[in-house]
Amino acid sequence: MANTRDTKSATEKRTASKAPKGGAQEGDDPEGEDDTVTDDRPSPMDVLRQARAQLAELTGMTAESVSSFAQTEDGWSLEVEVLELERVPDTMSLMASYEVELDPQGQLTGYRRVRRYERGRADAHRPGGR
C-alpha cells in the first residue's frame, strides 16, 4: 500500500509541474480563442499518399513505390515507380519512373515519365546500376 501512495504522489507531482501557472489548462483561452499556430502543410506521409493516388488516377496505372522524395521551394518533388505493363513472368513487366511535382499542399501540378524499364533489370546508366 505504501508503494501505491508513493507512486500516486509522484504522478501527481509530475502532472502538477506540467500544468501552466494560474490553473489554466493547455489550450484554454479566457476569450475563447485558440492561440495554437496551425501549419496547413500536409505531413510528408500525406504528401506521398496523395501523390501516388493522384498519379494513379490520372494515368490509370498502379503507382507501386516512391523512389525519391524532396521538399522544394515550390512544394514537393517525387519520383514514383509505376507498373505500366504487366507480363508473365513478373520480372518481365514494364515499369516506369515518373517525376511528379506537387504544390505545398500536396496537390499534383505536373508529372512526366523519365525512364522505362523491365522490372527484373538493373539500369546501367544510373548510379549503382550494372
Side-chain angles (χ1 to χ4, degrees):
M1 284 291 212
N3 287 343
T4 305
R5 276 191 223 137
D6 291 342
T7 305
K8 183 177 178 183
S9 177
T11 303
E12 288 172 356
K13 288 177 186 174
R14 281 195 302 269
T15 305
S17 66
K18 289 181 182 178
K21 293 184 179 181
Q25 296 296 316
E26 190 174 334
D28 287 352
D29 188 350
E31 297 169 8
E33 296 177 16
D34 190 3
D35 293 346
T36 308
V37 176
T38 58
D39 189 2
D40 64 344
R41 292 181 306 173
S43 73
M45 287 308 299
D46 289 338
V47 171
L48 293 174
R49 287 184 194 106
Q50 288 178 22
R52 290 178 64 179
Q54 291 176 68
L55 184 64
E57 186 175 348
L58 287 170
T59 63
M61 295 179 280
T62 304
E64 292 203 348
S65 64
V66 176
S67 56
S68 72
F69 175 73
Q71 189 169 12
T72 65
E73 290 181 8
D74 299 328
W76 306 89
S77 177
L78 296 85
E79 192 165 314
V80 180
E81 305 304 313
V82 172
L83 175 62
E84 284 202 336
L85 180 61
E86 192 169 7
R87 291 186 176 160
V88 175
D90 190 47
T91 55
M92 297 303 293
S93 293
L94 287 179
M95 303 292 294
S97 292
Y98 281 80
E99 184 179 283
V100 180
E101 301 294 326
L102 297 105
D103 67 14
Q105 286 71 42
Q107 296 302 309
L108 193 138
T109 59
Y111 70 92
R112 68 185 183 99
R113 184 172 64 196
V114 292
R115 70 182 179 120
R116 196 172 191 201
Y117 58 96
E118 289 178 342
R119 184 189 295 271
R121 305 236 177 184
D123 190 350
H125 301 291
R126 299 189 79 155
R130 283 256 183 293

